[in-house]
Amino acid sequence: WEVDGEQIEVDVVYGEKVKVIEEPKKEGYTFLGWSGYTEGMTQDDSDAVYKAIWKANEHKVKFMINSTVVYTEVIAEYDSKVNKPTDPIHEGLIFDGWYADSAYKQPYDFNSLVKSDIVIYAKWKAPGGAPEPQNTELQNKETPSKDIQNTISNPKTSDNINVYFITLAISIVFVGVIV
């Protein structure tokens, strides 16, 4: 048996069932089984090495554009880096970076390795450089996550919706006058 390069020897008798060792543990990974081993197999006359097979655990990484609105969410494997998303846009404000804390004290280090679920926060400032309150309605130049699709202004969509509602209101009034 081999776990991350370390071999564990077990005495076996030819023709008897192979004795499985205790399932190994590894931080950030899920044990999937042993390569070359099949449940109930018997030992032949050759030496065999069964290696542990691992799968990295997956973690959610949320990018927040204010305290309640998700800009985007990605899945990252344990011990991997997360890519920086496209900077969000807000009319009248300047994006001031991604932060590891909601108090905007610690800039997020995109070279750090993901070890668990994390939340990363967008910081904003006014054009003059003064900090801006962080709970504002924001725009995203990429396709937004489902959580913020209703808060992003899109002039083409808004105009079409306004025309629809105006037409609907006129129709209701017209039908009400006829009845």
Side-chain angles (χ1 to χ4, degrees), residues 63-66 71 84-91 93-98 121-124 138-142 148:
F63 290 87
M64 305 293 289
I65 53 176
N66 65 28
Y71 176 70
K84 180 181 173 208
T86 303
D87 294 347
I89 297 173
H90 182 281
E91 188 174 328
L93 294 177
I94 298 170
F95 175 68
D96 197 27
W98 293 106
Y121 302 88
K123 182 177 179 185
W124 302 93
L138 305 171
Q139 292 182 340
N140 174 353
K141 49 185 178 179
E142 293 183 334
I148 65 171

Side-chain angles (χ1 to χ4, degrees), residues 37 39 41-42 45 61 66-67 70 76 89 97 99 108 120 122 171 178:
Y37 172 76
E39 184 70 34
M41 69 187 291
T42 57
D45 62 352
V61 179
N66 65 28
S67 62
V70 177
I89 297 173
Y99 282 74
Y108 183 76
I120 302 171
S171 299
I178 294 176

Side-chain angles (χ1 to χ4, degrees), residues 8-162:
I8 302 163
E9 292 191 20
V10 176
D11 291 330
V12 292
V13 177
Y14 173 78
E16 289 187 9
K17 287 186 179 180
V18 174
K19 297 174 188 173
V20 181
I21 65 169
E22 184 178 326
E23 187 175 294
K25 306 276 186 246
K26 182 176 178 180
E27 182 181 354
Y29 292 83
T30 300
F31 175 71
L32 298 179
W34 300 100
S35 69
Y37 172 76
T38 305
E39 184 70 34
M41 69 187 291
T42 57
Q43 180 65 40
D44 60 17
D45 62 352
S46 64
D47 288 339
V49 177
Y50 308 109
K51 294 183 181 184
I53 303 170
W54 303 101
K55 180 184 183 308
N57 295 337
E58 294 180 337
H59 298 285
K60 288 183 184 178
V61 179
K62 287 185 183 180
F63 290 87
M64 305 293 289
I65 53 176
N66 65 28
S67 62
T68 61
V69 179
V70 177
Y71 176 70
T72 191
E73 184 175 296
V74 297
I75 300 295
E77 288 187 346
Y78 179 84
D79 260 356
S80 68
K81 295 178 186 178
V82 64
N83 292 325
K84 180 181 173 208
T86 303
D87 294 347
I89 297 173
H90 182 281
E91 188 174 328
L93 294 177
I94 298 170
F95 175 68
D96 197 27
W98 293 106
Y99 282 74
D101 63 318
S102 60
Y104 312 105
K105 303 284 184 203
Q106 179 66 42
Y108 183 76
D109 178 6
F110 284 91
N111 288 316
S112 64
L113 301 177
V114 174
K115 303 284 187 184
S116 62
D117 292 352
I118 56 175
V119 179
I120 302 171
Y121 302 88
K123 182 177 179 185
W124 302 93
K125 64 181 178 180
E132 184 66 26
Q134 302 300 312
N135 290 325
T136 57
E137 198 170 284
L138 305 171
Q139 292 182 340
N140 174 353
K141 49 185 178 179
E142 293 183 334
T143 303
S145 71
K146 290 180 183 177
D147 294 31
I148 65 171
Q149 287 178 355
N150 295 327
T151 65
I152 297 174
S153 62
N154 181 339
K156 292 179 184 172
T157 305
S158 297
D159 290 346
N160 292 340
I161 291 172
N162 290 339

